[in-house]
Amino acid sequence: MTITILGSAVDVRTGTPVVYAQMTMPEYLAIVGKRFEDFHLQRRREKHKAYGRLEADIRDGALLPSITLAVKLERVADIMPSYDDYRKDPGRAGPLAAALNTPGTVDILDGLQRTYIMRDLAEKGETFKPDQRILVEFWLERDLHNLIYRIIVLNAGQKPMSIRHQLELLFASLQESILKRLPGLEIYLERENTRRTKPKKFAFDVVVNAYQAMITGSPEVQKTNLVANELIENSALDLGEQGVSEQFDRFVEMLKRYVEFDDHTARIYEEGLMIADVDDDANPRGTGQKGSAGIANWFATSNVMASFFAAVAQFGNTDQRRRRAGEALEALGRILQDAPKASDPLGLEEFAKLRSGFNPRKVNVGVATRRLLTNGFKEFFREGGDVPLAECWTIAVE
């Protein structure tokens, strides 16, 4: 038995085609697949007593609110011909239903907790009521920028989730597109028990932190001050569709440079230079590496990455400053490319000395470290790369 197409619509704001369908719970679970939670990479499964009641209701045959699915970007083009045929002749719904009924084609935008409960019941051997059906929306968004806008701006306007969760959804959806634009880059999940065994390999949550730092202009991506956090989020969301799209494209371009820096750093600091206590985050989670090998991973750490992209955002508020930062990044690329092994072109020895001066009884060392990094990178941008980073760290100390 295949799914039943009920109708279609178009989101006028973004031009996104939407297909409304109905299906049984086993059909739905087959479509989302066994790894459906991978789209919600950092979102924990909720534990709420109301979900116990919901489980009982589903077992008894309750009708659920509609679930929203997004067809994966790389699959939209394959499905659109069937969608266009259906729009011309609603009687030709069969090919569209078959295309949407393919496992691994979609990601869950809304309905994760309900899906968990349905899966639990299925794994317990529960038999769903034969007439129990689910209403589902399939979003066929084929434009990268419209998907960015929808996830970040439209969802935020309705406030169904935090900005952090929206960014996780964004990167889970766009990861393949990013990887195609940045050959050699690898993004891994900590829960896959994957280790960073080589340069150009970054943890998913660290990349998300970097993008959040860039759109908010702050390396403090886990702010506890709710009022300040809300002000930062609202400021980021005021950009509008074009601003969000341009900012994302700029992030990808900066990430391309950053990956190159990481590659050079792994070679330079692979052996010979031992720096103690450069950063509490000197070893990215999952590396299992210490000593000089940890320094080789410096650019892959959360503190450094978030601070770098926050500095890019803070310093790039005018075209002139952007050009200046661009010159500095070009200079840094040349410096790292020409630096011999066991040298210290990043000035990490000086950075370690300055950081060791933070008194944990008086300051939050993590916050102070990120401030030092952000201000040091900004100073390097301000000087167009003409001043060594070791001096920039010194100037940045407050």
Side-chain angles (χ1 to χ4, degrees), residues 50-104:
Y51 290 132
R53 177 70 260 174
L54 180 58
E55 180 176 336
D57 288 340
I58 293 175
R59 185 186 295 110
D60 292 339
L63 180 65
L64 300 178
S66 65
I67 290 176
T68 304
L69 305 177
V71 174
K72 294 180 185 293
L73 276 176
E74 63 271 19
R75 292 300 314 280
V76 174
D78 297 333
I79 295 175
M80 285 307 297
S82 299
Y83 170 82
D84 292 335
D85 289 342
Y86 170 76
R87 291 280 288 180
K88 294 174 184 176
D89 180 5
R92 302 174 61 185
L96 177 59
L100 294 174
N101 201 25
T102 304

Side-chain angles (χ1 to χ4, degrees), residues 282-300:
N283 297 294
R285 283 165 284 184
T287 62
Q289 298 172 339
K290 297 180 180 180
S292 59
I295 304 304
N297 290 313
W298 193 69
F299 270 116

Side-chain angles (χ1 to χ4, degrees), residues 254 257 321-331 381:
M254 286 294 170
R257 290 179 180 269
R321 285 163 69 91
R322 283 194 182 191
R323 284 195 298 271
R324 194 69 173 159
E327 293 171 358
L329 293 173
E330 290 286 348
F381 297 160

